[in-house]
Amino acid sequence: ETGVTQTPRHLVMGMTNKKSLKCEQHLGHNAMYWYKQSAKKPLELMFVYNFKEQTENNSVPSRFSPECPNSSHLFLHLHTLQPEDSALYLCASSRAGGTLGTGELFFGEGSRLTVL
Amino acid sequence: DAKTTQPPSMDCAEGRAANLPCNHSTISGNEYVYWYRQIHSQGPQYIIHGLKNNETNEMASLIITEDRKSSTLILPHATLRDTAVYYCIVRLNYGGSQGNLIFGKGTKLSVKP
C-alpha cells in the first residue's frame, strides 16, 4: 500500500468511448504525475501537476486530457483513443514536483487500459 | 532519453548479494543517481538515491564511483521477492522540469532458489 490509489484497475473501451482514470493520494503531497507504460517500452512521463498547476505536458496527444482539481486528486480523461493507446497508466505523487521535490515518487498500481 | 546504461537482465541466487551495475558516463556534477524497482504488475518503488557518497538504507546500498560515471546497487541478501526490473535514473535536483524522472529499460533481476 503506497498511499496512491488508482481506479479502475482494468478498463476496456472502444475507440469512440469516453472514459476517465482516477488517481487519489493520501500522503499530503503537492505534485502528481501520469506515466504511460506500453508493452516492452520504458515508462513515459505524460503530465506533471505541481500545486494543481500543469508544469509538464510531454507532447501528449489531445485525446488524453488531464485534470487536477486539487492536490489529492488527478484524472486522465480519455476520448477517441486508438488501439496503440492500450497500456498501463501509472499515477504517482511526490512532496513537490520537478526539482522542488526529492525525486521520491510514490506510484499507484496502475490502470490497465485496453482499447478495442 | 535515459542517460544511463544497464544490463538488460541478471540472475542472482537467493540469499546471495545482488550487485546491479549502472553506467552514467555523462552525468553532470549536479545530477543525483536514483534507483527504483518495479515488481511485476505493480507501480515502481523508490529504493535509494545519492550524489557522490555511498548511501545505505533498509532496502539496499548504493556505491558511486569516485568519478561518478558509474554506480552499483547492492541488495545484500536477495530474496525471491526481490525479483523485479531495477531502474537507474539520473536526476537534476534543481531547475524546473529537468527534475522529472525519466525511466530507461532497466535491468530485469531474477532471484532463483
Side-chain angles (χ1 to χ4, degrees):
Chain A
E1 181 59 50
T2 64
V4 179
T5 303
Q6 291 188 242
T7 54
R9 293 293 311 280
H10 300 272
L11 177 64
V12 179
M13 60 187 289
M15 289 190 285
T16 58
N17 291 159
K18 284 186 179 181
K19 297 286 185 183
S20 296
L21 306 180
K22 178 183 176 182
C23 177
E24 183 174 3
Q25 57 95 0
H26 308 277
L27 301 168
H29 289 166
N30 292 302
M32 297 189 78
Y33 309 75
W34 281 116
Y35 281 83
K36 174 184 176 182
Q37 188 170 35
S38 304
K40 300 184 180 180
K41 291 176 70 174
L43 279 83
E44 300 170 70
L45 178 64
M46 300 175 72
F47 301 103
V48 180
Y49 278 81
N50 204 12
F51 295 91
K52 300 190 296 178
E53 298 296 320
Q54 188 181 117
T55 56
E56 185 85 10
N57 178 338
N58 199 20
S59 303
V60 180
S62 59
R63 58 186 183 270
F64 295 92
S65 174
E67 178 190 2
C68 188
N70 54 61
S71 293
S72 298
H73 294 86
L74 183 65
F75 295 88
L76 188 63
H77 303 300
L78 315 168
H79 60 98
T80 58
L81 295 191
Q82 305 298 312
E84 58 266 29
D85 296 321
S86 298
L88 181 68
Y89 289 85
L90 289 156
C91 173
S93 72
S94 67
R95 283 191 302 175
T99 52
L100 294 176
T102 62
E104 184 175 354
L105 270 61
F106 292 77
F107 283 83
E109 295 192 343
S111 293
R112 174 74 60 188
L113 172 67
T114 302
V115 182
L116 301 176
Chain B
D1 291 332
K3 296 176 160 185
T4 61
T5 303
Q6 299 177 254
S9 64
M10 291 182 64
D11 289 342
C12 177
E14 188 179 19
R16 304 295 294 268
N19 297 286
L20 294 101
C22 180
N23 286 321
H24 30 79
S25 57
T26 62
I27 193 169
S28 69
N30 304 316
E31 288 180 314
Y32 285 65
V33 179
Y34 283 76
W35 284 84
Y36 277 73
R37 73 179 182 183
Q38 186 174 20
I39 295 170
H40 183 61
S41 299
Q42 296 183 21
Q45 176 191 22
Y46 166 83
I47 301 173
I48 198 168
H49 75 280
L51 181 62
K52 49 187 173 182
N53 296 322
N54 298 338
E55 303 287 344
T56 296
N57 63 21
E58 64 278 3
M59 289 183 68
S61 294
L62 174 60
I63 309 298
I64 303 174
T65 58
E66 193 166 341
D67 63 7
R68 303 208 325 118
K69 292 186 177 182
S70 66
S71 60
T72 301
L73 179 75
I74 301 172
L75 307 178
H77 305 286
T79 71
L80 299 178
R81 289 175 294 179
D82 292 322
T83 292
V85 178
Y86 287 77
Y87 299 99
C88 171
I89 304 164
V90 296
R91 172 184 182 265
L92 192 65
N93 271 25
Y94 64 88
S97 66
Q98 290 173 302
N100 294 318
L101 292 175
I102 306 300
F103 288 78
K105 296 182 179 179
T107 295
K108 174 77 167 78
L109 175 68
S110 298
V111 180
K112 300 183 183 299

